[in-house]
Amino acid sequence: MATPSPGYSITLRVETPANFTATSELAAAVAGAGASVTALDVTESHHDRLVVDVSCDTTDADHGERVRAALDALQGVAVRKLSDRTFLMHLGGKLEVVPKVPLRNRDDLSRAYTPGVARVCKAIAENPDDARRLTVKRNTVAVVTDGSAVLGLGNIGPAAALPVMEGKAALFKQFAGVDAWPVCLDTQDTEEIISIVKALAPVYGGVNLEDIAAPRCFEIERRLREELDIPVFHDDQHGTAIVTLAALQNALKVVNKKIDDVKIVVAGVGAAGNAIIQLLQAQGALNIVACGRSGAINRGESYSDPHRAWLAENTNPENFTGSLHDAVAGADVFIGVSGPNVLGEAQVRTMAPDSIIFAMANPDPEVEPGIAAKYAAVVATGRSDFPNQINNVLAFPGFFRGLLDAGTSEITDEMLVAAATAIAERVSDEELNPSFIIPSVFDPHVAADVASAVVNAAATR
């Protein structure tokens, strides 16, 4: 699906003859090469020549080189430099530490550091609970990964995972005022990860597990929840489940169906798929068929993985045994958290009238959205360049804001459902339509609403 994306945005510094058609010729050449022009800035102007920065979105790195060639081919034009704007944004990292207190003179230093800080240390030693009140702990989250399941890139390791964790930390701060820090561990041993996170826990008010492969992620989350006194949240599981439920609540309103009446097919039985299924059931879904690579999870098979065994016992009430392609026939809802292009037009055509398709694999969804929209009443993806982006950013900043404000270590289904409902309700009945079932990640009210919902759910435990 070759669609120009800001993720492949480039700027070309171009020298061109000075004439009244110069910039329009540059724009036409870029467009002719299939890129999307986003800016033209004249950086130098001389009597005989101009230097212009041409910014555009492309589809991939090779496409950028084709755009360069198209500009170089123009009469009298030379490309001085091509810059990748995504890499420029990441130069030097995306985070910094900034003091919250003034350090202007010796008096400030005496209070912030020695000798005054020793009094605060002794107070915490006498009453460890004071750490939440007197340190960064009350507002700080560790974003922990082992680099084993990063985005759609797979097991690329902790160093390569760091840009994602930096981005996650930036989103925590931007949307909910939570201070988060990347913790990228150079081990994929379950016991080692648990031990390290437990040892780090005194600094943090919560742990956000991220991009850890299944089934290891399930055991790590379970053990850390049992053994720590701070909340532990695996965003790939529960963040995805929250936003999926929020989108489904509104999509079902659009098609006038109820969650306990519809047949739901979930493609992908890893961390996200399991969590989505459990949360949908908590909200009343009765007919869910979970499909892995070999087809529907069913009671006729024996599964060594306890999570697949649980799915076999608790989903697929008709014990369907066919393939994913067969399973979607007559389904009201398809939820994809698997991989690209697992469905085609022939399969989508067989779904029930007024069907709903959430094709959330990134960057390439399970079915091309244009094809899905031919037959489905509501289509959503995980991408920002199509309507109805189902994005975890809607969930995790506000969810952790609520956990930290409530001072709770427990995460319940009631909190997850409350968060999903808060997100869904940001789209009013008047605004709700097939192309707008979930709010924008830039809606300034979402994180606060989610935080409030979590605090209220914690208070009613």
Side-chain angles (χ1 to χ4, degrees), residues 111 120 151 164 343 392:
R111 286 187 288 268
V120 181
L151 301 178
V164 178
L343 289 186
N392 289 20

Side-chain angles (χ1 to χ4, degrees), residues 174-257:
Q174 179 71 26
F175 293 107
V178 173
D179 296 312
W181 195 255
V183 179
C184 299
L185 304 180
D186 193 12
T187 177
Q188 295 182 359
D189 179 85
T190 297
E191 292 300 327
E192 245 189 325
I193 292 170
I194 292 168
S195 177
I196 292 170
V197 175
K198 287 172 63 179
L200 290 170
V203 178
Y204 298 99
V207 174
N208 183 76
L209 301 175
E210 186 74 21
D211 291 350
I212 299 174
R216 182 165 62 253
C217 61
F218 299 117
E219 176 68 6
I220 291 169
E221 182 193 40
R222 183 188 68 79
R223 289 272 304 283
L224 288 174
R225 283 192 175 186
E226 289 176 354
E227 298 175 28
L228 290 178
D229 62 355
I230 57 176
V232 179
F233 181 86
H234 186 200
D235 187 48
D236 298 325
Q237 292 184 64
H238 309 299
T240 305
I242 289 169
V243 292
T244 301
L245 176 57
L248 186 60
Q249 286 178 345
N250 281 343
L252 289 171
K253 286 183 184 179
V254 169
V255 299
N256 195 28
K257 296 181 181 181

Side-chain angles (χ1 to χ4, degrees), residues 396-419:
F396 70 81
F399 199 87
F400 262 101
R401 174 78 279 150
L403 292 172
L404 293 170
D405 290 349
T408 182
S409 62
E410 187 178 5
I411 297 173
T412 65
D413 283 347
E414 289 77 15
M415 290 177 183
L416 303 177
V417 171

Side-chain angles (χ1 to χ4, degrees), residues 113-127:
Y113 197 51
T114 185
V117 73
R119 295 177 55 218
V120 181
C121 293
K122 288 198 290 186
I124 294 172
E126 292 171 5
N127 182 16

Side-chain angles (χ1 to χ4, degrees), residues 75-92:
Q75 182 69 34
V77 171
V79 177
R80 290 184 178 178
K81 184 178 181 181
L82 186 157
S83 300
D84 187 312
R85 297 178 69 197
T86 296
F87 277 83
L88 289 176
M89 178 179 278
H90 287 76
L91 283 177

Side-chain angles (χ1 to χ4, degrees), residues 313-384:
E313 290 300 318
N314 293 277
T315 65
N316 196 357
E318 297 178 2
N319 204 31
F320 172 80
T321 60
S323 68
L324 170 65
H325 287 184
D326 295 329
V328 297
D332 300 279
V333 180
F334 169 81
I335 296 173
V337 280
S338 54
N341 305 313
V342 299
L343 289 186
E345 185 167 356
Q347 291 79 48
V348 175
R349 188 189 295 120
T350 68
M351 293 182 68
D354 292 325
S355 60
I356 296 166
I357 293 178
F358 292 173
M360 298 189 292
N362 260 320
D364 297 320
E366 283 81 0
V367 58
E368 202 280 313
I371 291 174
K374 289 183 179 181
Y375 306 98
V378 180
V379 178
T381 71
R383 292 175 57 133
S384 58

